[in-house]
Amino acid sequence: PVQDMIDKILNFLPNIFAAAVIGFVGWLVAKILRGLTTSVLASTGVDRWGMRAGIKSSTSLSSMGGLIVFILVFVPSLIAALNALGVEAISGPATAMLEKMMNAIPNIISAGVILAMTYFVARFVAMTMSLILNGAGFDELPSKLGFSLDESVQPSIIVGKVILFFAMLFATVEAAGMLGFEQIGDVVTMFIEFAGQVVLGAIILVVGFWLANLAHDTI
């Protein structure tokens, strides 16, 4: 029995060696590509765009891009290393889990792109709308309606933030759908409907208050 066990170990050593080589080479290549990707992205100035968008320097876009490249390169090599072991009890579940992760990565990237693009576009639209409303005298509307607001509170900026908020909510629903989180999408959709009703109710109250003041002044 001891000799049989030794023979099995000796027969299994080539598989272990092959798995170790594949895993090490994959890790080395992934590390090199991660460094190259991070350097290239940093040289293009994407980190400055991220800082303008409110992303902290500790989580720069260049480092995030390098991490994504590292995962995309290292995970397939890890799957190949597990398959090289030839132990189905170990490689089977681990390979299935890693394959699910690899299949989910495109959806995760797509969801991230949707959120990022929506944020930049909605932020531009919100800033533009705030400037237009400010130039049209929208900030003076509360005082004309009889509301007393703090000077630091500008209605035009509030409208821009509301636009950005709802745009990100819609993008969150789409991103959750791509990731397969239908329940999260349903919850956000219900919240959007509720928030829309609240906004509509607030508009009705403002119009009613304005009409009441107008009737009061007229009488």
Side-chain angles (χ1 to χ4, degrees), residues 19-169:
V21 170
I22 293 173
F24 175 75
V25 172
W27 173 81
L28 184 62
V29 173
K31 185 177 179 181
I32 294 173
L33 291 178
R34 177 182 182 178
L36 290 174
T37 303
T38 303
S39 301
V40 171
L41 291 177
S43 63
T44 58
V46 295
D47 293 336
R48 292 194 298 270
W49 301 345
M51 294 179 65
R52 291 176 184 175
I55 300 176
K56 297 181 180 180
S57 58
S58 59
T59 55
S60 61
L61 291 177
S62 60
S63 60
M64 292 173 61
L67 179 60
I68 292 173
V69 171
F70 179 86
I71 293 174
L72 291 176
V73 175
F74 180 64
V75 171
S77 64
L78 188 58
I79 294 174
L82 290 174
N83 290 329
L85 286 175
V87 181
E88 185 63 26
I90 298 176
S91 62
T95 301
M97 182 186 67
L98 292 174
E99 287 178 351
K100 288 182 179 179
M101 186 174 115
M102 284 298 296
N103 293 332
I105 286 178
N107 293 333
I108 295 174
I109 295 176
S110 300
V113 170
I114 289 175
L115 291 174
M117 293 298 297
T118 302
Y119 175 78
F120 284 112
V121 174
R123 187 183 180 191
F124 174 76
V125 173
M127 292 176 60
T128 303
M129 184 60 65
S130 297
L131 293 175
I132 293 175
L133 292 176
N134 183 276
F138 183 76
D139 293 336
E140 301 175 359
L141 184 60
S143 60
K144 293 180 180 179
L145 295 176
F147 292 99
S148 58
L149 297 178
D150 189 87
E151 294 181 356
S152 60
V153 179
Q154 297 182 359
S156 59
I157 295 179
I158 294 176
V159 171
K161 291 183 178 180
V162 170
I163 293 174
L164 178 60
F165 175 74
F166 276 98
M168 292 307 298
L169 280 181

Side-chain angles (χ1 to χ4, degrees), residues 3-16:
Q3 185 64 36
D4 293 340
M5 183 178 65
I6 294 175
D7 292 339
K8 289 181 180 180
I9 293 175
L10 292 176
N11 293 331
F12 191 64
L13 284 178
N15 295 341
I16 297 176

Side-chain angles (χ1 to χ4, degrees), residues 197-215:
Q197 293 175 358
V198 171
V199 172
L200 180 60
I203 293 174
I204 293 174
L205 287 176
V206 170
V207 174
F209 190 80
W210 173 71
L211 292 175
N213 283 337
L214 182 61

